[in-house]
Amino acid sequence: MINQIFFFYFSAVIVAMSVMAITRRQVLHGVLYMLLMFFHIAGLYLFLNAEFISAVQIIVYAGAIMVLFLFVIMLLNLREDIRKKQFIAVWPMGLLVSSGILMVVLMSMLTVRTGTKGVWGIAQIERVTETVAVGTVLYMQYLFPFEVASLVLLVAIIGAIVLAKRKVK
Amino acid sequence: MATLIALETARFGVPQWLWTIGFIIVKIAVVLAGVMLHVAYATYFERKVIGRMQNRLGPMIVGPYGLLQPIADGIKSFFKEDIIPTNADKPIFFMAPVLGLMAALSSLAVVPFFNGFVIANINIGLLFLFAMSSLAVYGVILGGWSSNSKFSFLGSLRASAQVISYEVPLGLSLVGVMMMAGSLNITEIVNAQSRYPGGMYIIAQWLGFFVFVVSAIAETNRSPFDLPEAEQELIAGFFTEYSGMRFALFFMAEYTGMIIMSSIAVLCFLGGWTIPPFVLKLLPFLGVVPGIVWFIMKLYVCIFFYYWIRSTLPRYRYDQLMAIGWKVLIPLSLANIVITAVLKILLHHAGTP
């Protein structure tokens, strides 16, 4: 009972905050609603016994990425968005595509099947703590994909530096 | 929660879960009251220390040796007029100082002051502290932005860039401690230190401690890294437009932040409420001193260090600040991680943990 109340609260707030974030005319207010949404996502993770992921969610998204968003907004000195009648000319097409995606999501939700249970059940996680579990799985079982992902990020960093350095020459 | 309710056993006609909640609330009240008192007297301590270092007496008028000065300051700022700039973004302007103080105070939830006394003994204590210290910058950024003044704006731009840059070495410098203790739980880290022969991780982690101290000073916007509030250039930086109680909230957030950073240093590098085992063997009577005394003594040594640095060093230039963060501290902390990991594996294979 109490679980359902918590879950309903978190998911309702996440949906409400996402809607608020994209409808605000003041860009900074939108960013703040997004920040609240990230907090509720972190709460949802905590609710799933994933304490490590929830802390990382706050550190990375709320602490770093949203601060960068704020930084960009402040550097560009965006105050209020211009009110325009129609932003995109082909909105019926967009409506069609998005309702199609919604249909796909609904259909997949109706036919969802839970996967088979692995080694890492709740009892096991509570025994070794979630941080240890994530570390063990990430560095033992999925070491190669992890390294590939970090290589991809390195390429992105080098690309950013190359783009930024071109002007200096 | 469900198990808690199922276990309810009435004591004085009050169910058990209510006792638990009541106990937590009392703990929170005790911690908040204690820390706010320390925040008030940290300002007094700062003015005294800096006064003495500059051959002055510091506050002397209010009370004996000026001891009531912080209380007088508090009352004054409480009754001052609250001025709001005309073009300020009001909701954000009101929210910003509260947000800053909230982030600073919620970090206190995971700080163990002595053995067993912690509001929430969670497994990710250290990560929680990082998360909250990274939120503290929101108060600064939003306060500067919503004031609609160029000085505030420049101050908050500087603050955001500075805090993003120094959060990285701050986190990386503690990875060595995490590796040595094998845990993120702060109580566990302190207990692991008392098992370690040196008694304090500062001996093995001196490089990490150095990086931590520098980035902690930068993270709390203290001199010599107080660019966001550089008086000579920006009047008061991000809180130029704030007055009265809202200004006092920013002030309290800054000092609470200092206390939090000092307590992380005490808990992760200086052994928390314990004293090294070899000292205890040498002078066994020290064992009767309660842990909170050691904790507060170490805390005040760290806070004194903050003031010492402030009254000794001139402010860095902005490009120097960025260069120190990215070109010196991050490579040093990465080197520290590699050295700690290699040594841990080598010692582990040699047989001694």
Side-chain angles (χ1 to χ4, degrees):
Chain A
M1 180 58 197
I2 205 157
N3 292 359
Q4 267 126 14
I5 292 173
F6 268 99
F7 181 76
F8 184 76
Y9 165 73
F10 280 121
S11 33
V13 173
I14 288 171
V15 172
M17 289 301 131
S18 328
V19 172
M20 290 296 264
I22 53 172
T23 51
R24 293 304 92 189
R25 278 182 66 207
Q26 177 70 271
V27 194
L28 200 112
H29 291 181
V31 168
L32 291 180
Y33 280 114
M34 208 155 142
L35 180 70
L36 268 179
M37 187 191 79
F38 283 140
F39 267 94
H40 283 84
I41 291 176
L44 211 53
Y45 283 136
L46 206 58
F47 187 63
L48 291 170
N49 267 349
E51 47 195 22
F52 179 75
I53 304 289
S54 107
V56 167
Q57 165 86 17
I58 291 181
I59 294 172
V60 172
Y61 281 94
I65 292 181
M66 292 319 275
V67 175
L68 278 178
F69 273 29
L70 284 180
F71 199 65
V72 169
I73 287 172
M74 281 161 57
L75 270 183
L76 298 179
N77 208 2
L78 296 175
R79 280 280 163 177
E80 287 215 349
D81 251 356
I82 324 132
R83 185 182 282 276
K84 265 197 170 180
K85 200 106 192 265
Q86 205 168 312
F87 213 67
I88 311 165
V90 283
W91 66 269
M93 199 59 205
L95 189 69
L96 196 72
V97 171
S98 54
S99 51
I101 293 173
L102 188 70
M103 278 299 287
V104 172
V105 169
L106 283 178
M107 278 160 74
S108 61
M109 269 165 72
L110 288 175
T111 58
V112 73
R113 276 182 304 153
T114 47
T116 49
K117 268 187 189 156
V119 195
W120 300 100
I122 290 175
Q124 176 78 353
I125 294 229
E126 273 176 356
R127 205 159 50 79
V128 293
T129 74
E130 205 243 342
T131 317
V132 175
V134 169
T136 316
V137 173
L138 201 59
Y139 290 105
M140 296 290 195
Q141 216 171 332
Y142 297 106
L143 184 62
F144 185 66
F146 177 76
E147 291 296 332
V148 170
S150 60
L151 210 66
V152 171
L153 286 177
L154 185 70
V155 169
I157 293 171
I158 293 173
I161 292 173
V162 167
L163 283 177
K165 273 274 175 191
R166 190 175 292 158
K167 283 177 199 135
V168 180
K169 233 181 262 177
Chain B
M1 200 65 203
T3 50
L4 258 173
I5 295 168
L7 279 174
E8 68 180 75
T9 47
R11 208 191 298 175
F12 305 117
V14 182
Q16 182 66 45
W17 61 272
L18 214 65
W19 275 108
T20 319
I21 292 172
F23 187 58
I24 292 172
I25 289 173
V26 168
K27 252 184 180 174
I28 291 172
V30 167
V31 168
L32 275 189
V35 170
M36 286 333 263
L37 199 72
H38 279 284
V39 165
Y41 276 90
T43 64
Y44 172 77
F45 184 46
E46 170 165 34
R47 293 166 72 177
K48 276 287 184 196
V49 167
I50 291 178
R52 287 289 173 179
M53 284 183 180
Q54 298 167 344
N55 249 337
R56 292 184 288 117
L57 287 173
M60 282 299 274
I61 308 293
V62 192
Y65 298 102
L67 266 174
L68 297 176
Q69 185 69 45
I71 295 162
D73 283 346
I75 293 169
K76 185 195 80 174
S77 58
F78 192 78
F79 285 112
K80 261 174 104 168
E81 189 189 349
D82 186 19
I83 299 164
I84 300 154
T86 332
N87 276 331
D89 191 323
K90 281 207 184 77
I92 298 185
F93 189 79
F94 292 158
M95 209 174 64
V98 181
L99 205 66
L101 188 63
M102 189 196 76
L105 288 179
S106 47
S107 321
L108 290 170
V110 294
V111 173
F113 293 97
F114 54 90
N115 201 0
F117 187 85
V118 52
I119 295 171
N121 190 7
I122 54 176
N123 285 328
I124 46 156
L126 217 48
L127 284 182
F128 182 85
L129 282 176
F130 288 150
M132 288 302 134
S133 79
S134 60
L135 285 186
V137 73
Y138 277 98
V140 175
I141 296 181
L142 296 178
W145 183 82
S146 63
S147 304
N148 204 13
S149 136
K150 288 204 167 54
F151 294 116
S152 311
F153 191 61
L154 277 173
S156 61
L157 272 181
R158 284 182 177 186
S160 48
Q162 178 176 334
V163 172
I164 292 175
S165 317
Y166 276 84
E167 219 158 72
V168 182
L170 187 81
L172 290 177
S173 67
L174 285 168
V175 172
V177 171
M178 295 174 198
M179 276 196 280
M180 283 185 74
S183 175
L184 285 170
N185 185 325
I186 299 177
T187 314
E188 276 292 302
I189 290 175
V190 176
N191 288 336
Q193 281 181 72
S194 62
R195 286 195 296 273
Y196 167 75
M200 292 177 177
Y201 279 165
I202 184 175
I203 297 167
Q205 289 289 327
W206 54 272
L207 196 57
F209 185 67
F210 169 73
V211 174
F212 177 82
V213 166
V214 177
S215 29
I217 294 172
E219 185 86 2
T220 45
N221 296 333
R222 296 288 300 180
S223 177
F225 301 114
D226 58 347
L227 275 304
E229 44 192 279
E231 296 92 348
Q232 295 88 341
E233 305 155 30
L234 298 179
I235 306 179
F238 57 89
F239 52 68
T240 306
E241 303 293 338
Y242 280 86
S243 62
M245 206 54 209
R246 295 184 201 288
F247 166 75
L249 286 180
F250 268 127
F251 208 67
M252 284 194 280
E254 185 180 333
Y255 279 82
T256 317
M258 273 166 63
I259 289 185
I260 299 279
M261 282 299 163
S262 307
S263 44
I264 299 177
V266 169
L267 291 166
C268 293
F269 292 102
L270 302 175
W273 60 84
T274 60
I275 41 174
F278 62 86
V279 176
L280 201 62
K281 210 173 278 175
L282 217 62
L283 305 161
F285 60 89
L286 285 179
V288 292
V289 178
I292 182 87
V293 176
W294 293 121
F295 183 83
I296 288 181
M297 268 169 62
K298 288 172 183 172
L299 188 76
Y300 271 94
V301 168
C302 294
I303 288 179
F304 174 76
F305 189 73
Y306 262 114
Y307 301 154
W308 190 13
I309 294 278
R310 181 186 161 181
S311 60
T312 314
L313 292 178
R315 183 177 301 129
Y316 279 98
R317 231 169 44 222
Y318 198 74
D319 58 321
Q320 289 173 329
L321 170 98
M322 285 295 159
I324 292 170
W326 290 99
K327 292 181 191 162
V328 179
L329 293 183
I330 292 180
L332 273 184
S333 53
L334 286 174
N336 182 45
I337 292 174
V338 173
I339 292 168
T340 313
V342 169
L343 277 182
K344 187 173 178 180
I345 287 175
L346 285 181
L347 288 177
H348 208 71
H349 279 288
T352 46

